[in-house]
């Protein structure tokens, strides 16, 4: 009997040791963002030993990362029934309360977990702090307050220092974050995430060269740590956006690193969706369509797949699929609809409205529906105006000037847009050309909007010389000779200042002749001498200009 008891104790000790090793393995997999591997390990632990409450908690956390909220909640609730470390699951349920906006309920659950802590324990504090940081509406101040309690128990613990770094980073205290990450790595040089985060700080500061070096230095110590390649992908993506001249090169590099990240994590549906999200921001819609088809094979009913099918179908000109996919996705109140969903649904409707057989037919009902959907997207997040330029330019090139103006008017509603200057130029031009096409009835309100748009370009970039010509033309249509003369003169001043080489260009000569002739015509009824002076300036450039020659003769003979 005693021998049996001894063997039983030894057996239980062995099981406990194995479970602890497996939990450490699962935690490493979670840190490496190998979530499917972590789930498999944790499920195996629970199956072999349902008393292991920590395994339930970590599994619930993985479900939360993967946005599978129902599974997370169910796992935490089962974890409360476990014999050991069940109190950690109150922390998971507390984060769900935070996500639902119930901070009081979350705090009550966190207190339950704290009350179960041992005198020297600190990991509960770290997990509570991370619950505050990882909630849908992060509270970094509360996280920092909680971490101070952990610090009182073990100020040198690497995971406490790492969490401090993340909390300070979220709280926009870069210096404190840097110190915490550096100290965490010094305390444990196997803690690659801490050293990686030093590169993340550089990425956030747009020090892309230094960030890439920081990440590659970490890769030299462990080339199989997947999150490094995700960070490199994001760095090259932001670098591409901020250096348009090298956009193609850096975007290609970004996509290559993300593919590497995928090979080192997993090809689960969740990972494919994160990959798809990156393909969306990288504008690689051919690859997105391939990924969406693969996801459809894995899970034919997952609603987010409709999003990716919709985006890729829009760019691949399959507008019926785009509209159907995005209508189905946005119509379901259970889906997490984002601004881009409405944006691409709106753009798909507009594309269909302007895809007549002869490329001249517009369906106004469908077009207006598209505009309203785009406005809805912008109301959710005004940064989406950055995505409108190409659609507006496409309509402009098709000579759908009025419709292009509708797009550019929304695009210029956000002064922080990266395309603000160019979109204003296109807006002004669209409104101007819509008023000069054959059979057009002058729309003074639209022309006044064009004048304002050109004024916005001049304010942002006074040396953009052609904008003065278009603003002068617009005021010609408005019948405002004084402003027409003013803007043509500003064009003349700019090109003259640039010197003979600029003025010798054929396009500049043409616009100078236009400016002198139009200004002269504006003076003709009020200042004959001035009118003749400007017509003579035309003849100095083009001695055979018929309009100027004839006009000078008429003015000289006019009594």
């Amino acid at each position: 009997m005693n021998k049996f008891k001894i063997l039983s104790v030894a057996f239980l000790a062995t099981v406990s040791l194995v479970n602890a090793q497996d939990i450490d393995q699962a935690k490493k997999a979670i840190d490496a963002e190998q979530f499917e591997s972590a789930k498999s390990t944790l499920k195996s632990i629970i199956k072999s030993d349902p008393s292991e409450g920590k395994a339930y908690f970590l599994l619930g956390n993985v479900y939360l990362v993967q946005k599978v909220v129902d599974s997370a909640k169910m796992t935490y609730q089962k974890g409360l029934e476990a014999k050991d470390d069940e109190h950690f699951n109150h922390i998971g349920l507390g984060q769900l309360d935070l996500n639902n906006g119930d901070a009081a309920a979350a705090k009550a659950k966190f207190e339950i977990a704290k009350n179960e802590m041992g005198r020297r324990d600190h990991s509960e504090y770290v997990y509570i702090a991370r619950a505050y940081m990882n909630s849908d509406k992060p509270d970094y101040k509360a996280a920092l307050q909680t971490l101070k309690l952990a610090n009182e128990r073990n100020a040198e613990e690497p995971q406490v220092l790492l969490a401090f770094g993340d909390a300070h980073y979220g709280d926009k205290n870069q210096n404190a974050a840097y110190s915490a990450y550096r100290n965490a790595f010094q305390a444990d040089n196997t803690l690659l995430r801490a050293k990686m985060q030093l590169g993340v700080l550089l990425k956030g500061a747009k020090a892309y060269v230094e960030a890439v070096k920081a990440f590659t230095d970490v890769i030299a110590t462990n080339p199989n740590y997947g999150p490094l390649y995700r960070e490199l992908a994001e760095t090259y993506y932001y670098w591409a956006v901020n250096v348009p001249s090298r956009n193609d090169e850096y975007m290609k590099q970004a996509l290559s690193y993300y593919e590497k990240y995928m090979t080192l994590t997993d090809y689960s549906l969740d990972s494919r969706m994160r990959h798809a999200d990156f393909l969306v921001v990288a504008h690689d819609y051919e690859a997105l369509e391939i990924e969406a088809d693969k996801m459809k094979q894995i899970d034919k009913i997952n609603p987010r797949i409709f999003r990716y099918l919709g985006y890729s179908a829009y760019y691949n000109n399959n507008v019926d699929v785009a509209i159907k996919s995005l209508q189905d996705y946005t119509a379901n109140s259970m889906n997490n609809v984002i601004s881009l969903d409405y944006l691409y649904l709106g753009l798909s409707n507009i594309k269909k409205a302007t895809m007549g057989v002869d490329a001249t037919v517009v369906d106004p009902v469908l077009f207006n529906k598209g505009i309203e959907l785009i406005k809805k997207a912008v109301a959710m997040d005004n940064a989406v105006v950055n995505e409108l330029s190409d659609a507006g330019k496409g309509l402009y090139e098709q000579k759908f000037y009025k419709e292009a103006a509708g797009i550019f008017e929304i695009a210029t509603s956000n002064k922080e847009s990266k395309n603000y200057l160019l979109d204003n130029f296109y807006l002004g031009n669209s409104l101007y050309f819509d008023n000069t096409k054959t059979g057009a009835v002058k729309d003074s309100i639209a022309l006044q909007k064009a004048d304002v748009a050109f004024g916005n370009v001049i304010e942002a970039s006074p040396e953009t010389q052609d904008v003065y010509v278009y603003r002068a033309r617009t005021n010609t249509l408005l019948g405002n000779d004084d402003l027409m003369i003013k803007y043509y003169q500003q064009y003349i001043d700019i090109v003259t200042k640039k010197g003979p080489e600029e003025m010798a260009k054929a396009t500049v000569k043409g616009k100078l002749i236009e400016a002198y002739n139009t200004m002269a015509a504006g003076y003709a009824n009020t200042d004959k001498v001035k009118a003749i002076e400007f017509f003579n300036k035309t003849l100095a450039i083009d001695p055979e200009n018929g309009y100027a020659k004839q006009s000078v003769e008429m003015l000289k003979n006019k009594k």
Side-chain angles (χ1 to χ4, degrees):
M1 185 69 177
N2 289 335
K3 183 178 180 181
F4 176 75
K5 284 183 178 180
I6 292 168
L7 288 173
S8 296
V9 170
F11 175 74
L12 289 172
T14 302
V15 169
S16 179
L17 178 62
V18 169
N19 283 347
Q21 290 173 340
D22 286 346
I23 282 180
D24 283 342
Q25 178 187 335
K27 287 163 73 173
K28 288 178 181 178
I30 292 170
D31 176 64
E33 298 175 19
Q34 297 170 343
F35 298 117
E36 291 304 308
S37 173
K39 280 163 62 177
S40 177
T41 299
L42 292 166
K43 287 178 180 179
S44 177
I45 295 171
I46 291 168
K47 185 177 181 180
S48 64
D49 184 7
S51 68
E52 188 58 73
K54 190 78 167 285
Y56 287 97
F57 169 65
L58 293 173
L59 179 58
N61 287 353
V62 174
Y63 281 127
L64 265 191
V65 169
Q66 296 182 327
K67 308 296 183 186
V68 190
V69 177
D70 290 344
S71 294
K73 183 176 182 179
M74 188 183 306
T75 304
Y76 292 139
Q77 288 173 335
K78 286 183 178 178
L80 291 177
E81 300 171 9
K83 180 182 176 182
D84 301 321
D85 289 332
E86 74 285 350
H87 62 285
F88 280 92
N89 292 279
H90 288 293
I91 300 173
L93 291 170
Q95 184 177 332
L96 292 177
D97 286 332
L98 290 175
N99 290 348
N100 293 327
D102 194 341
K107 188 174 181 180
K109 291 182 175 65
F110 295 155
E111 289 301 321
I112 295 172
K114 290 179 186 179
N115 290 335
E116 295 294 320
M117 293 174 65
R119 286 196 316 164
R120 296 184 179 181
D121 291 345
H122 63 269
S123 59
E124 287 88 344
Y125 288 135
V126 173
Y127 284 119
I128 290 169
R130 292 211 171 276
Y132 279 118
M133 288 189 273
N134 296 335
S135 67
D136 292 345
K137 293 183 179 179
D139 186 343
Y140 296 106
K141 300 290 188 190
L144 287 166
Q145 288 298 321
T146 305
L147 288 170
K148 287 178 183 178
L149 299 173
N151 192 59
E152 291 172 3
R153 297 201 172 184
N154 193 339
E156 302 301 319
E157 166 57 41
Q159 288 296 333
V160 173
L161 294 168
L162 176 63
F164 260 120
D166 293 339
H168 284 305
Y169 180 61
D171 200 39
K172 303 189 186 315
N173 188 337
Q174 307 297 304
N175 291 334
Y178 179 87
S179 296
Y181 289 138
R182 181 196 59 200
N183 293 340
F185 186 71
Q186 288 176 347
D188 179 3
N189 62 10
T190 68
L191 191 56
L192 294 183
R193 185 166 290 269
K195 191 170 185 181
M196 181 183 79
Q197 289 301 114
L198 295 173
V200 172
L201 292 174
L202 293 167
K203 177 186 73 174
K206 297 186 178 181
Y208 301 122
V209 173
E210 294 81 0
V212 168
K213 184 180 185 307
F215 294 136
T216 52
D217 284 348
V218 186
I219 286 173
T221 65
N222 186 346
N224 296 317
Y225 188 61
L228 285 163
Y229 298 95
R230 175 180 49 73
E231 291 296 345
L232 275 167
E234 291 180 6
T235 300
Y236 274 101
Y237 165 73
Y238 289 121
W239 204 352
V241 169
N242 282 278
V243 185
S245 62
R246 303 188 72 174
N247 183 278
D248 291 345
E249 174 191 349
Y250 290 157
M251 202 64 79
K252 184 177 179 180
Q253 192 78 346
L255 291 167
S256 173
Y257 277 123
Y258 207 97
E259 290 295 337
K260 177 70 172 178
Y261 166 71
M262 291 286 289
T263 65
L264 291 171
T265 51
D266 54 57
Y267 281 94
S268 65
L269 181 63
D270 179 72
S271 293
R272 289 187 180 279
M273 285 186 173
R274 282 184 279 122
H275 183 211
D277 287 335
F278 190 81
L279 292 172
V280 170
V281 298
H283 295 263
D284 190 342
Y285 295 102
E286 289 186 11
L288 179 63
E289 188 168 18
I290 293 169
E291 192 66 280
D293 285 337
K294 288 178 179 176
M295 288 190 288
K296 196 173 180 181
Q297 294 171 19
I298 297 171
D299 186 347
K300 294 181 180 180
I301 61 171
N302 192 294
R304 269 178 65 189
I305 295 172
F306 289 118
R307 169 185 289 163
Y308 305 124
L309 286 172
Y311 293 3
S312 57
Y314 165 74
Y315 279 103
N316 295 327
N317 291 318
N318 195 349
V319 291
D320 288 329
V321 171
I323 291 171
K324 175 71 167 60
S325 298
L326 291 170
Q327 277 181 341
D328 288 348
Y329 186 78
T330 57
N332 189 338
S333 60
M334 299 298 291
N335 291 336
N336 180 29
V337 178
I338 60 175
S339 58
L340 288 178
D341 300 329
Y342 288 120
L343 174 72
Y344 285 112
L345 180 55
L347 291 175
S348 298
N349 277 279
I350 286 172
K351 185 175 278 193
K352 184 169 184 178
T354 54
M355 285 180 66
V357 175
D358 55 1
T360 59
V361 178
V362 175
D363 181 335
V365 174
L366 202 57
F367 182 86
N368 290 333
K369 180 181 179 182
I371 289 291
E372 290 307 310
L373 285 163
I374 291 172
K375 287 179 178 178
K376 190 171 185 178
V378 173
M380 291 177 69
D381 179 7
N382 63 7
V384 301
V385 299
N386 290 316
E387 307 296 324
L388 293 175
S389 290
D390 288 342
K393 289 175 192 175
L395 292 170
Y396 182 89
E397 289 166 2
Q398 288 179 270
K399 296 183 169 36
F400 288 131
Y401 296 122
K402 185 175 182 179
E403 290 72 25
I407 297 288
F408 286 119
E409 196 163 0
I410 301 172
T412 55
S413 64
N414 180 5
K415 288 188 176 182
E416 301 304 315
S417 166
K418 65 180 181 181
N419 306 313
Y420 182 72
L421 188 150
L422 194 58
D423 287 346
N424 267 288
F425 207 157
Y426 270 106
L427 172 59
N429 279 359
S430 299
L431 293 166
Y432 170 76
F433 284 122
D434 187 53
N435 274 270
T436 59
K437 64 186 180 185
T438 304
V441 177
K442 185 172 76 172
D443 183 344
S444 296
I445 294 176
L447 289 168
Q448 288 165 2
K449 287 182 179 180
D451 181 67
V452 170
F454 291 134
N456 289 336
V457 177
I458 290 169
E459 182 181 355
S461 180
E463 297 302 310
T464 305
Q465 61 196 48
D466 284 354
V467 71
Y468 295 97
V469 174
Y470 282 105
R471 197 172 192 187
R473 291 172 180 172
T474 300
N475 279 279
T476 299
L477 288 182
L478 284 167
N480 194 327
D481 287 345
D482 289 342
L483 288 176
M484 172 270 290
I485 290 168
K486 173 185 174 181
Y487 297 127
Y488 272 131
Q489 185 60 55
Q490 288 178 339
Y491 172 78
I492 293 165
D493 292 343
I494 288 175
V495 296
T496 302
K497 185 179 178 181
K498 290 184 177 180
E501 186 177 346
E502 180 70 19
M503 296 180 71
K505 293 177 181 177
T507 54
V508 173
K509 279 186 176 182
K511 286 167 184 167
L512 285 171
I513 290 170
E514 172 192 330
Y516 291 139
N517 278 348
T518 312
M519 292 167 77
Y523 282 120
N525 293 323
T526 58
D527 190 336
K528 184 171 70 171
V529 174
K530 203 78 172 172
I532 291 173
E533 176 191 339
F534 278 98
F535 279 130
N536 282 332
K537 288 185 177 184
T538 292
L539 293 171
I541 300 172
D542 179 13
E544 299 304 316
N545 188 277
Y547 176 67
K549 288 172 68 175
Q550 184 180 5
S551 297
V552 168
E553 288 301 317
M554 288 177 61
L555 287 168
K556 285 181 177 179
N557 294 328
K558 187 176 181 182
K559 294 181 179 179

